[in-house]
Amino acid sequence: MSNTVLKLPEESLLQVISHYQKNKIQTKNPYARFSAKLPDAVVTVYTSGKVMFQGNGAAREAAKWGAAESAVEKTVSTKGDKLPDGFAKLSVLGSDETGTGDFFGPITVAACYVPADKVELAHELGVKDSKQLTDAWMRQVAPDLREAFAHKVLTLKNDKYNKVQGQGWSQGKIKALLHNQALKHVLHEIAPEKPDAILIDQFAERGIYYKHIKEEPEIIRENVLFSTKAEGLHVSVACASIIARVAFLEEMDRMSAEAGVTLPKGAGKIVDEAAAKILLKHGEEYLKSLTKVHFANTGKAKVLAGKKKKSD
């Protein structure tokens, strides 16, 4: 499945709206000025001047307008299971994670259930692909999402992460166990209601995912689908992504306050420098409590700390 987005001049936008007028549907999305539904595609014209084509017929419909003046086409390809038609409007339980590439801080996984009759509510609350949102904006949106939708967020703190990683657990196994647990919690919360589907933002092939969790007493299998870039396929995954991200940020806030220094995100040079300062001030054991110790940043921080000691 793919989504195609065109950036069109106003004249062309008016032509698109006129062309699909007979297929017009109502939308409560505050950023959409027009939306139309075809048998195999949904066309949405946004106030930004972009037009999104979604569904199996997206490429065909977009091709009708791709030659328009100043048009810039961007196709987002996904890998994973084939999703049913109209998937974006179904009742879906989605899950996503964050923090896996950050030296400081935990891994957080969230699952969120958005029923069909609340898909538009999620859009009204400002939800879109979390990769297009700033941390500050997600902090604003997350409380409303947590209030509006059934969800579960799990935070694997660094001490626990380092323990299981030291026992040979890969990040893939860690994430699979957390996803399964978060999905299980939400399914129990919404029972007896069942989602039309469960969508996991894919980080492993289906067989590998289930191999990771084969010893779990309860394994969620029914109607489970996997896809990359799942935040753009159903708003439930976008909600889960935002909730997971804010949980990560809140834990980073707590850790920063405890350490007396703002802990940087990611795994770049600034992270090495911050880690070296913490190492010199608080020692190696304390640094371990804040980080994923198997990252190469640990060694780099030790080298920087050693150089600092020599220069002092």
Side-chain angles (χ1 to χ4, degrees):
M1 180 177 178
S2 67
N3 298 338
T4 301
V5 178
L6 299 181
K7 176 69 173 177
L8 299 174
E10 178 63 20
E11 181 180 352
S12 296
L13 294 177
L14 294 175
Q15 291 175 2
V16 170
I17 292 172
S18 175
H19 181 79
Y20 295 108
Q21 190 64 41
K22 65 180 182 298
N23 303 105
K24 180 181 178 180
I25 58 173
Q26 294 299 315
T27 176
K28 294 180 180 179
N29 187 329
Y31 304 106
R33 58 189 283 194
F34 175 83
S35 188
K37 183 174 177 60
L38 307 178
D40 60 354
V42 174
V43 181
T44 305
V45 179
Y46 291 92
T47 55
S48 63
K50 293 181 180 180
V51 183
M52 177 177 284
F53 301 84
Q54 298 170 285
N56 293 334
R60 180 197 67 240
E61 294 303 314
K64 297 177 180 178
W65 311 98
E69 182 182 353
S70 302
V72 179
E73 182 174 344
K74 179 183 178 183
T75 301
V76 180
S77 298
T78 60
K79 295 181 180 179
D81 295 321
K82 178 177 172 55
L83 306 182
D85 292 343
F87 185 80
K89 298 295 184 181
L90 299 180
S91 297
V92 176
L93 170 57
S95 64
D96 201 359
E97 81 285 328
T98 194
T100 57
D102 294 271
F103 181 54
F104 287 108
I107 288 179
T108 56
V109 171
C112 184
Y113 176 54
V114 179
D117 62 355
K118 288 188 176 181
V119 167
E120 287 302 324
L121 172 62
H123 289 300
E124 287 177 17
L125 293 174
V127 177
K128 51 185 175 181
D129 182 345
S130 68
K131 293 179 177 60
Q132 300 175 19
L133 299 175
T134 64
D135 285 347
W137 179 250
M138 284 190 276
R139 286 182 188 268
Q140 292 181 36
V141 172
D144 289 336
L145 301 182
R146 293 189 292 234
E147 180 70 24
F149 304 111
H151 70 280
K152 179 65 176 179
V153 59
L154 300 173
T155 300
L156 182 66
K157 296 185 179 182
N158 294 90
D159 285 338
K160 179 68 172 180
Y161 174 89
N162 290 329
K163 180 180 178 181
V164 296
Q165 194 279 329
Q167 294 172 350
W169 289 21
S170 66
Q171 273 202 358
K173 180 178 179 68
I174 292 169
K175 289 189 287 185
L177 289 166
L178 291 171
H179 275 262
N180 185 70
Q181 186 177 349
L183 293 169
K184 177 181 67 176
H185 276 287
V186 178
L187 286 172
H188 288 177
E189 180 180 343
I190 66 175
E193 183 176 355
K194 287 187 176 183
D196 296 320
I198 295 171
L199 181 61
I200 298 174
D201 192 51
Q202 187 170 357
F203 56 87
E205 295 295 328
R206 177 184 296 273
I208 295 174
Y209 174 88
Y210 282 112
K211 182 178 180 180
H212 285 321
I213 61 175
K214 64 181 180 181
E215 296 180 1
E216 287 295 282
E218 183 176 355
I219 298 174
I220 307 304
R221 294 180 182 273
E222 186 179 359
N223 295 328
V224 173
L225 299 168
F226 296 84
S227 182
T228 60
K229 302 179 182 177
E231 303 101 318
L233 301 178
H234 197 277
V235 73
S236 63
V237 182
C239 288
S241 182
I242 291 169
I243 292 170
R245 180 64 178 176
V246 173
F248 170 81
L249 295 172
E250 290 172 347
E251 178 62 10
M252 287 285 277
D253 291 343
R254 185 195 68 78
M255 293 167 60
S256 294
E258 184 182 276
V261 61
T262 299
L263 302 177
K265 306 174 194 71
K269 184 178 179 181
I270 190 173
V271 172
D272 299 336
E273 293 169 349
K277 291 178 181 177
I278 293 171
L279 187 59
L280 288 169
K281 185 176 181 179
H282 298 290
E284 188 171 347
E285 286 305 310
Y286 185 71
L287 180 64
K288 286 182 179 179
S289 72
L290 304 175
T291 64
K292 302 174 182 71
V293 295
H294 66 103
F295 278 32
N297 303 85
T298 300
K300 294 177 182 179
K302 289 179 179 179
V303 170
L304 289 173
K307 290 180 179 178
K308 177 66 174 174
K309 282 183 178 180
K310 289 180 180 180
S311 63
D312 289 346

